[in-house]
Amino acid sequence: MQAVILAAGLGTRLRPYTEDFPKPLLRVAGRELLYRHLRLLKEAGVSEFIIVINPRHERHFREFLARHPEFPCTLVLNAEPERGNGYSFYLAREKVKGPFVLTMGDHVYEPAFVKEAVSCQGLVVDPEGLFIDPEEATKALCEGGRIKALSKGLKRYTGFDTGFFVLTPEVFTAAEALVQEKDEVSLSEIMARAQIPCSLLAGFFWMDVDTPEDLRRATYLLVKRSVKGAGDGLVSRWLNRRVSTWVSVRLVDRLTPNQATILTTLLGLLAALLVFASPAWAAVLYQVSSMLDGIDGEIARASLRTSPFGGWLDSVLDRIVDFSFLLALGLTFPPQGTLEFSVYLLAVFGSVMVSYTSERYRGAFGRALHAEIPLLRRIPGKRDERVFLTMVMVLLGWVKGLYFLLAALTNLRVLLTLILVWRAKGR
Amino acid sequence: MQAVILAAGLGTRLRPYTEDFPKPLLRVAGRELLYRHLRLLKEAGVSEFIIVINPRHERHFREFLARHPEFPCTLVLNAEPERGNGYSFYLAREKVKGPFVLTMGDHVYEPAFVKEAVSCQGLVVDPEGLFIDPEEATKALCEGGRIKALSKGLKRYTGFDTGFFVLTPEVFTAAEALVQEKDEVSLSEIMARAQIPCSLLAGFFWMDVDTPEDLRRATYLLVKRSVKGAGDGLVSRWLNRRVSTWVSVRLVDRLTPNQATILTTLLGLLAALLVFASPAWAAVLYQVSSMLDGIDGEIARASLRTSPFGGWLDSVLDRIVDFSFLLALGLTFPPQGTLEFSVYLLAVFGSVMVSYTSERYRGAFGRALHAEIPLLRRIPGKRDERVFLTMVMVLLGWVKGLYFLLAALTNLRVLLTLILVWRAKGR
């Protein structure tokens, strides 16, 4: 399948960013708008791209494409961008060989949107438009599965124009006719004239980027939507994620996911060292590092930089940080007698095993443990909860009690996991 | 694709096992010969089976098939088995619709053989026949890629007849002619007459089962070949595997893999308890449980009973046994001072983390860590080596030294894994 991406707009409302620079190459959550289109469409099965651009930006696009040889692209130059985006679309006609996707280079779509949208027909219409300004948006009126009208000013409408189309080359007949009739042609006119089909798709994040405020908003929403919350514990949901997404929005353009992993690890190790000077401050810093523990994953997903290595590294380093903190705390408050010694060892062992049982499960079954055994989501003992508990107990001065609690919580959770997995999978 | 399985033989040399029972339903390494054909052929893409049987065994076959509705089978009755296996084959002709696989119901093939053989053409000929008696075997002479002669007595031959064929229905023309000509027809005559193609395939385990001794030998070889040695440590290769395969051969018909996992776990936990009475005997029992740790996997692979759950359970319980032993030993020989206390904690943590880093790697990348970073195979610290070291050091009375060694070995291995994986995957 081919895709046509319209990227010839002048982006006047984004000055000074677009003074001498094309809007589709501006970055949102660490990636150029255009990169997002190419990457997500390629993952959805598109193998060839036709990008219509303004010749004065040709150098920027060529540089971008040279950095990304993984996307087979043809540039089509529109020397008369003032003739409208319908005219830009018309210029792509000779390169199109069959059914194709058409997207607007100044739109942002979350990955799940693109995945669904490519199997739609005609214009993808969002009946809700949760993330856009209804005043500003182009509305679509569909009747009998086809577009009847398409414009900003519609009073009665089915939904909002997402700028994402799945088309056949016949649509160029209407384009041709309109280009003959008049100088300035909008895409909406062509699509309304061609009465292309329309498909409804709701619940996903997409928006068009027109102003500097939109750039920030799109970054913010991409980060928010990238929270993979299903495996989060209570503390993560209510506290850590709020902090980590606030930070991720600000760092997503500046840090790679692995850099974020290293930084939060260093912070955690620093907290462990600080135990010897001030256990209370150390515990607070430990909780801070835990609040930031989510940013590597958030940055990775929002900037389309997830990697198996990143996930592996994050998990292994988390275990090392947790052990270091428990070791430092254990040296500062050494166990008295065999019972306490056992409990310290059990706390260290159980803390690793909570993660071991669930990661080993993913290795064996290829699925997340909490997805198959939802009860485990509601049982405490996950890392965010352990770290928070550690902070609270250290601040209260109940270090020995902390080890007892950790030993009990984690090992009971492991035992319960054994029983539940046996029941679900052991036949 | 269809498969024809010849299972009408009388199995006279396997009496008393076959007094009133068909040979293809005898068990080898925990599974009926016929089950192995059906299961492995199905996994290789065969979707329909035609089994030629002796009517006096019909009841046994029907019972077997009722227990295994996952295999769509048609039974063809051969009321005159004395007319030879060529005649049995001839009777299957009306059920065959296109290219098909033909196998002998009294042969055993290891899974890798079947996987390769189904994409061969004509008779699969093994030029080496590593696991069979060359005197007894049928030999094949191939010229120009076709069978020229096929019999036991050949002096000059290309290799051995594996009893595995990939054929087209044309071969039934030669069968028909021979059945018209004479009363007793052997499969070899038909194939030689049809001059079917031949393909060479060497290095895999296969054999035909004729005598009670063959039954034992096939079980033994299936267990031996099921050792998945690539991830084994030194002690496993030189000691533990020799013991575990000896035991597996004897238990494969009696234990399920999960029962074997539970038994070795109980043995390991018993060893941990025994520490309080006699550390030396406990250490020996711990090593015994480690030598038996491989039998669950061996039984599972040899009897085609591997499962993601079994792998998960084995890993989790191994961690628990190791921790229990270190805990018991630590209580019996408590650490003195903060240095020893740290070392004890590090030994417990490192022992889990060696496995954590490699299992988490499989979860992330879907491949074994040692397969991608072969250097790790030669670095000590794996479970078999840790347990053996534990036994030796406890017997020598150097328990504190053991914790120092374990702490160093395991944590250095984890550190090295971090560095090597970073270099290989971190870009």
Side-chain angles (χ1 to χ4, degrees), chain A residues 233-246:
Chain A
L234 264 183
V235 179
S236 244
R237 276 202 292 276
W238 293 103
L239 175 64
N240 298 1
R241 283 296 182 191
R242 294 173 191 210
V243 176
S244 64
T245 51
W246 191 90

Side-chain angles (χ1 to χ4, degrees), chain B residues 316-361:
Chain B
V316 172
L317 294 180
D318 275 354
R319 304 292 82 72
I320 292 177
V321 166
D322 288 350
F323 172 74
S324 304
F325 198 88
L326 285 181
L327 175 65
L329 207 59
L331 289 173
T332 313
F333 302 87
Q336 315 288 327
T338 52
L339 174 66
E340 283 186 22
F341 175 60
S342 308
V343 168
Y344 276 46
L345 283 183
L346 275 166
V348 164
F349 177 66
S351 296
V352 190
M353 285 302 284
V354 166
S355 176
Y356 186 91
T357 48
S358 91
E359 296 299 350
R360 182 66 178 80
Y361 187 95

Side-chain angles (χ1 to χ4, degrees), chain A residues 162-214:
Chain A
T162 64
F164 197 110
F165 303 76
V166 182
L167 300 168
T168 54
E170 286 80 62
V171 72
F172 287 112
T173 315
E176 175 106 47
L178 277 158
V179 167
Q180 304 297 338
E181 282 170 29
K182 44 199 274 195
D183 263 6
E184 193 180 341
V185 180
S186 77
L187 197 63
S188 298
E189 288 173 272
I190 295 173
M191 298 305 164
R193 167 87 60 105
Q195 298 208 358
I196 60 162
C198 65
S199 305
L200 297 184
L201 188 60
F204 295 106
F205 165 61
W206 64 272
M207 64 181 281
D208 52 336
V209 174
D210 277 333
T211 64
E213 170 54 25
D214 286 346

Side-chain angles (χ1 to χ4, degrees), chain A residues 218-229:
Chain A
T219 297
Y220 172 79
L221 284 164
L222 280 175
V223 168
K224 277 279 177 196
R225 301 280 291 179
S226 75
V227 171
K228 208 182 53 179

